[in-house]
Amino acid sequence: MAQLWGGRFTKETDKLVYNFNASISFDQKFYEEDIEGSIAHVTMLAAVGVLTETERDDIIRTLKEIKAEVEAGTLDISDEYEDIHSFVEANLIDRLGDTGKKLHTGRSRNDQVALDMRLYTRKQVAAVDAELEDLLQSILQIMKENTETIMPGFTHLQKAQPITLAHHMGAYFEMFKRDRQRLFDIRERMNYCPLGSGALAGTTYPLDRNMTAELLGFYGPTLNSMDGVSDRDYLIEFLSALSMIMMHLSRFSEEVIIWNSNEYQFVEIDDAYSTGSSIMPQKKNPDIAELVRGKTGRVYGALTSLLTTMKGIPLAYNKDMQEDKELSFDAMDTAKGCIALFNGMLKTMKFKKENMRKSANNGFTNATDLADYLVKHGVPFRDAHGIVGQVVLYCIEKNIAIDDMSLEELKVICPVFEEDVYAAISMETCVNTRLTIGAPSKTAMEQVILLEEDYLLKHPAIQA
Ligand code: ARG
């Protein structure tokens, strides 16, 4: 057990207490950020005259050595240390003696961990954004290729009106675009540096907080040292954004699962993204989509957990906050993995356009347009609605589509129908007369696709 704080204690820590308290098993994930923060700290300490230039250079060189050895696998981050901060500092002291002992001047683990977590999270925000950007590229590609691919649109999972595959995909484009905007906003708000907050009340050393903030790529220092060490809002916001992303992915997955079912057969998931059954030889299961849907719960769990952890904590740092890590790391890795896998599945998925088209034809998806036809010929809408209801009932009894009725049959129900009714209710007419922006017509979709292309061009992935 290697600790930084033995001085005022007369007994060894109980082994169980030590293990309960230790965080090295998970906070080693940000060893790189811890070292990066320490390098900025000592650079600043030398600039303000607290360390000599030689001390600074020795510490920085040794910190870089430690990092290189960890990366090369020649230095093990072992659990004999309480946390990653102790590991780095102890290794530094082993190698440098008294000079190493000066690293922690004017710093507390409270502002150190606040910094490390922020640096780590900032990178993760960028990594998630990059995955989303990639997913949007795939969705846009499908949109471009399918402005004429007619499929039924649903409400209540009942066929409602014809749309196109491009239009359906476009809905998800919007969702993931908003998710990216959320990530951007979070990064803007979180990009202030807590280093220099000390334990809670700053320090008596003449620290240059603007300098460390700048060295670490922040917009500036945080403005209240108590808030600096105990703010985890940014992380809660990030977990909330990840939850929203997972919710969107889960909805999308649910649709893929339905589309891939034997009953729908709108898509076929590629063999590389499907799995078989150990007993039923005929099966090809959409496990990836189901797992993405299933993993959504654990990301929500991380959000709920941290909100609950933070709700009763008095200012400033309390050990409860160590609980900000494990589930958050898990949520970040889960979300990144899910976006990447979903994207792979989407890119390789085959759309069975004929089946989509057939399904749109056979579900009375043009009933609204038939009513609109009557309205255009002077029938009040409420009457038209009733007439089309009778038409649909007739078709259900005969098991045919509206388009299959002869003009004579139609005229029996309402004499207003003429030969031009067939063109008025064709799938193409239904879709392509919906011209308002945001609607499924080819014309409207092509305008939207240009806007989305422009959006992607102007919004490359966030830089870490
Ligand atoms: N492992 C701790 C955490 O993650 C580091 C900060 C410890 N500070 C303290 N005063 N015990 O929060």
Side-chain angles (χ1 to χ4, degrees):
M1 297 193 266
Q3 287 162 334
L4 298 172
W5 40 263
R8 61 108 59 220
F9 289 77
T10 53
K11 270 196 197 169
E12 280 268 297
T13 318
D14 180 272
K15 183 71 185 144
L16 285 177
V17 171
Y18 183 83
N19 290 341
F20 188 63
N21 195 49
S23 53
I24 190 132
S25 63
F26 47 89
D27 64 17
Q28 57 180 274
K29 211 163 168 107
F30 51 52
Y31 75 91
E32 199 180 335
E33 289 75 16
D34 193 74
I35 289 173
E36 193 187 344
S38 289
I39 290 176
H41 184 61
V42 296
T43 305
M44 178 276 294
L45 286 180
V48 299
V50 173
L51 291 184
T52 66
E53 288 183 359
T54 316
E55 287 167 337
R56 174 197 65 197
D57 294 345
D58 286 346
I59 293 175
I60 292 178
R61 192 191 61 249
T62 312
L63 285 171
K64 286 183 175 166
E65 269 168 30
I66 293 171
K67 180 172 167 229
E69 287 173 31
V70 170
E71 269 156 17
T74 51
L75 176 61
D76 242 15
I77 303 181
S78 76
D79 58 10
E80 89 188 77
Y81 301 94
E82 179 187 340
D83 54 29
I84 191 63
H85 324 298
S86 315
F87 166 83
V88 173
E89 193 174 329
N91 269 277
L92 188 73
I93 293 169
D94 278 353
R95 294 167 193 218
L96 281 183
D98 283 349
T99 302
K101 292 180 185 166
K102 295 185 178 182
L103 164 68
H104 209 50
T105 314
R107 191 175 68 171
S108 157
R109 270 186 301 167
N110 296 352
D111 61 343
Q112 188 177 358
V113 78
L115 172 69
D116 293 0
M117 194 62 191
R118 221 177 261 237
L119 287 172
Y120 185 84
T121 305
R122 192 174 67 180
K123 279 188 201 160
Q124 292 298 311
V125 169
V128 173
D129 189 56
E131 293 293 352
L132 282 182
E133 201 263 346
D134 222 31
L135 176 61
L136 284 180
Q137 298 283 4
S138 310
I139 295 176
L140 189 63
Q141 188 54 35
I142 299 173
M143 288 167 72
K144 285 188 198 162
E145 289 164 7
N146 290 284
T147 53
E148 295 178 46
T149 308
I150 286 171
M151 67 182 286
F154 296 82
T155 62
H156 314 272
L157 206 51
Q158 307 273 326
K159 291 179 201 174
Q161 290 174 342
I163 53 162
T164 63
L165 180 56
H167 191 241
H168 200 120
M169 288 292 136
Y172 285 102
F173 192 100
E174 289 300 304
M175 291 179 234
F176 294 119
K177 184 167 77 178
R178 286 195 296 275
D179 288 331
R180 291 192 68 205
Q181 289 162 349
R182 266 183 278 276
L183 294 178
F184 182 84
D185 292 345
I186 291 167
R187 191 189 188 283
E188 285 295 293
R189 218 171 0 261
M190 73 178 281
N191 200 29
Y192 293 87
C193 184
L195 187 63
S197 297
L200 77 162
T203 77
T204 55
Y205 297 95
L207 304 186
D208 184 348
R209 294 196 59 208
N210 284 309
M211 181 179 178
T212 37
E214 201 186 317
L215 285 172
L216 293 165
F218 289 102
Y219 296 145
T222 54
L223 295 186
N224 181 290
S225 57
M226 292 180 81
D227 179 54
V229 290
S230 57
D231 165 32
R232 297 295 183 275
D233 290 5
Y234 69 92
L235 193 55
I236 295 176
E237 284 192 60
F238 187 35
L239 292 174
S240 164
L242 293 180
S243 296
M244 194 87 79
I245 292 167
M246 290 303 295
M247 182 269 286
H248 290 151
L249 277 179
S250 184
R251 287 184 80 171
F252 208 164
S253 294
E254 171 68 10
E255 299 212 279
V256 168
I257 292 162
I258 293 173
W259 292 350
N260 188 63
S261 68
N262 293 338
E263 284 68 24
Y264 276 72
Q265 299 189 38
F266 283 7
V267 299
E268 184 172 351
I269 299 175
D270 194 73
D271 277 3
Y273 286 85
S274 311
T275 49
S277 157
S278 61
I279 176 167
M280 297 167 282
Q282 84 282 14
K283 291 277 245 168
K284 195 175 136 188
N285 296 327
D287 284 27
I288 299 307
E290 289 172 10
L291 262 178
V292 169
R293 191 177 58 183
K295 283 176 189 291
T296 302
R298 63 199 263 184
V299 177
Y300 292 0
L303 170 64
T304 310
S305 167
L306 189 56
L307 278 168
T308 313
T309 297
M310 295 304 293
K311 77 181 260 296
I313 301 184
L315 288 174
Y317 178 84
N318 296 262
K319 189 75 169 194
D320 317 39
M321 288 160 69
Q322 182 165 291
E323 284 297 306
D324 67 352
K325 296 178 193 62
E326 282 167 286
L327 296 186
S328 299
F329 292 154
D330 181 74
M332 296 170 195
D333 291 344
T334 300
K336 271 185 304 180
C338 285
I339 304 167
L341 274 156
F342 189 92
N343 192 9
M345 178 181 69
L346 188 67
K347 278 198 275 201
T348 51
M349 201 161 78
K350 264 212 300 291
F351 293 97
K352 298 183 166 177
K353 301 182 187 181
E354 300 239 311
N355 293 349
M356 290 180 163
R357 166 86 200 201
K358 239 186 276 163
S359 171
N361 280 342
N362 294 331
F364 305 110
T365 56
N366 50 3
T368 312
D369 294 78
L370 188 65
D372 288 344
Y373 172 89
L374 291 175
V375 170
K376 277 176 209 145
H377 291 77
V379 182
F381 180 75
R382 197 42 65 203
D383 292 340
H385 189 284
I387 293 163
V388 175
Q390 289 175 47
V391 170
V392 169
L393 198 61
Y394 181 87
C395 290
I396 290 172
E397 273 162 14
K398 298 207 130 188
N399 196 21
I400 54 172
I402 298 174
D403 318 56
D404 297 333
M405 285 175 73
S406 68
L407 189 57
E408 290 67 45
E409 286 173 299
L410 281 167
K411 273 183 173 296
V412 172
I413 297 174
C414 177
V416 177
F417 289 122
E418 293 300 339
E419 194 57 45
D420 60 351
V421 67
Y422 297 102
I425 63 166
S426 78
M427 290 295 123
E428 278 69 20
T429 310
C430 292
V431 165
N432 289 324
T433 49
R434 285 174 160 75
L435 287 161
T436 48
I437 196 80
S441 69
K442 188 172 159 66
T443 319
M445 275 314 301
E446 277 170 354
Q447 274 173 277
V448 167
I449 286 170
L450 285 179
L451 292 172
E452 308 293 32
E453 269 177 341
D454 189 53
Y455 156 79
L456 280 176
L457 220 61
K458 291 192 177 130
H459 297 86
I462 297 173
Q463 290 305 300

